[in-house]
Amino acid sequence: MSRADSFSIDEQYMRMAIDQAYIAEENGDVPIGCVIVHENRVIARAQNQREQLQDPTAHAEIIALTQAAEAIGSWRLEGCTLYVTLEPCPMCAGALVLGRLARLVYGTDDPKTGAVKSLYNIVQDRRLNHQLEVTGGVMADDCRAQLQAFFQRRRNENLNL
């Protein structure tokens, strides 16, 4: 498979993650979406649900990891690729390492809490027992615009109170 073919496949799955992010937004949560793929098949789809569940750990990645483990019958998610619209935070990056995923593909960087590139690089830290292949910046402009529009609307709503 050429790099161009790989990128188009990455875009296809990132579009699915963006669709999940819209569901989060419709439910009043920060629009972050995630899908997990195993053997060219989507085995998990999730979105942020912190507001809906009132659970600080209800990040899209964590929910998707639970779904994926159930789908394949193992917590070892070897051979899986996780697609997420925003660079994972430390909690989620740690969970990806613990789940032993093969690959992470994310949309836009997170300069405030990113734990893959921006602040830390947990998923490729050689001191840990597992590292992931990482591809960042897939559909970054779309992912960033979705988040920026959400937070701009929130700021405008707060001004109008």
Side-chain angles (χ1 to χ4, degrees):
M1 180 183 331
S2 74
R3 181 163 168 78
D5 291 339
S6 174
F7 192 70
S8 65
I9 290 169
D10 287 348
E11 284 184 345
Q12 173 188 341
Y13 290 125
M14 187 60 71
R15 281 187 180 90
M16 291 180 190
I18 290 169
D19 289 343
Q20 291 298 307
Y22 280 115
I23 295 170
E25 185 172 2
E26 289 170 4
N27 292 320
D29 223 314
V30 176
I32 299 171
C34 179
V35 298
I36 298 179
V37 176
H38 182 253
E39 296 177 351
N40 300 314
R41 186 172 62 89
V42 175
I43 60 169
R45 297 172 198 260
Q47 65 280 338
N48 267 14
Q49 296 182 39
R50 292 184 309 166
E51 295 297 332
Q52 187 176 0
L53 299 176
Q54 289 301 298
D55 179 352
T57 67
H59 290 205
E61 300 96 321
I62 300 299
I63 295 166
L65 287 169
T66 300
Q67 291 174 3
E70 186 175 324
I72 65 171
S74 176
W75 63 268
R76 291 178 183 89
L77 301 174
E78 296 161 341
C80 290
T81 299
L82 183 140
Y83 293 83
V84 65
T85 56
L86 182 67
E87 177 184 3
C89 71
M91 174 183 69
C92 294
L96 298 178
V97 171
L98 293 173
R100 295 189 172 92
L101 281 88
R103 185 167 178 243
L104 163 67
V105 179
Y106 71 90
T108 190
D109 295 340
D110 183 354
K112 294 185 178 181
T113 65
V116 175
K117 174 187 170 192
S118 297
L119 298 177
Y120 311 102
N121 188 355
I122 292 172
V123 299
Q124 293 181 323
D125 190 324
R126 294 277 176 211
R127 296 171 294 179
L128 300 175
N129 67 330
H130 180 76
Q131 294 81 43
L132 285 76
E133 177 187 334
V134 175
T135 303
V138 175
M139 298 186 68
D141 293 341
D142 294 335
C143 295
R144 185 180 317 104
Q146 185 180 32
L147 285 160
Q148 287 173 338
F150 172 81
F151 285 113
Q152 185 60 53
R153 278 191 301 279
R154 281 286 176 91
R155 285 189 292 275
N156 291 343
E157 289 167 6
N158 287 337
L159 291 174
N160 293 328
L161 295 178

